[in-house]
Amino acid sequence: MRRVPTWLAAPFAFLALTGAAPGADGGVGEAPFGLAWGPVADVPRPLKADREANLTALYYPRGWRPAVGSATAEVVLVVCREEGLQEVVWVGLPLAGEELARVRRAIHDEGVRRYGEPTPGPSADSELWPGGRALLASREAPDGRHELVMAAFGPGYAACSAAHLAATGHPAGAHVAELIGSSGP
């Protein structure tokens, strides 16, 4: 078994748990950070919560469970009114140059090992894994470095996004697109 450097533990833990199959009811299965897709009975207290139509985004800054990895800047849990937890977003600390390339390559390689080859995502440097189960992208930090952004999507995400589109005129994915600076949903 290959040892993962400590600074990569959070993104690899994130990837390790995004591929679990949903349960028999189609709505429950493992999500990143030991959470479960579907109805939410208990989540850690967030720093803040934003609501729009059927979505509630719960924000956890670095050091607040589940945002506890050494490479983690923030984690966002997106809970849908009917489908429960359907999106988990991990934002890494700002990196640049070879360090950014090395970390991104390691995360990409682990994603390929687990899920197969990704296709290009909605922004210039993003990747989307088969079935739309995970997205890897980066965004520019205020200091010019880049933060890696990983999003994992639950089995009820399409239904949640359709309900969000009906209520707001934009799909739920528009919020991830905004986060990574993409014009696409």
Side-chain angles (χ1 to χ4, degrees):
M1 184 170 160
R2 162 172 72 120
R3 186 156 163 75
V4 176
T6 308
W7 49 269
L8 276 179
F12 279 155
F14 184 94
L15 271 175
L17 297 172
T18 60
D25 66 354
V28 179
E30 286 189 42
F33 305 114
L35 301 169
W37 297 125
V40 177
D42 186 34
V43 294
R45 184 169 180 250
L47 175 66
K48 69 176 186 170
D50 284 335
R51 289 182 177 81
E52 182 182 63
N54 64 321
L55 300 180
T56 300
L58 306 172
Y59 296 85
Y60 301 89
R62 178 183 175 100
W64 288 45
R65 193 174 63 84
V68 293
S70 63
T72 302
E74 179 178 46
V75 169
V76 181
L77 305 180
V78 180
V79 180
C80 303
R81 184 177 299 130
E82 298 297 321
E83 298 79 10
L85 179 65
Q86 290 301 313
E87 184 176 359
V88 177
V89 179
W90 173 88
V91 179
L93 294 174
L95 302 171
E98 182 52 37
E99 183 180 23
L100 174 65
R102 185 176 56 255
V103 171
R104 185 183 184 110
R105 193 170 38 251
I107 293 169
H108 165 88
D109 290 348
E110 184 65 13
V112 168
R113 187 183 76 73
R114 292 177 186 277
Y115 314 124
E117 286 294 330
T119 58
S123 64
D125 70 342
S126 65
E127 307 174 77
L128 187 61
W129 269 273
R133 67 174 106 186
L135 169 82
L136 172 61
S138 67
R139 67 179 185 180
E140 190 169 349
D143 65 3
R145 295 183 295 168
H146 285 83
E147 298 167 321
L148 292 172
V149 177
M150 296 169 55
F153 307 97
Y157 184 77
C160 175
S161 185
H164 195 69
L165 175 63
T168 64
H170 62 266
H175 299 287
V176 170
E178 184 180 326
L179 180 69
I180 63 173
S182 169
S183 58

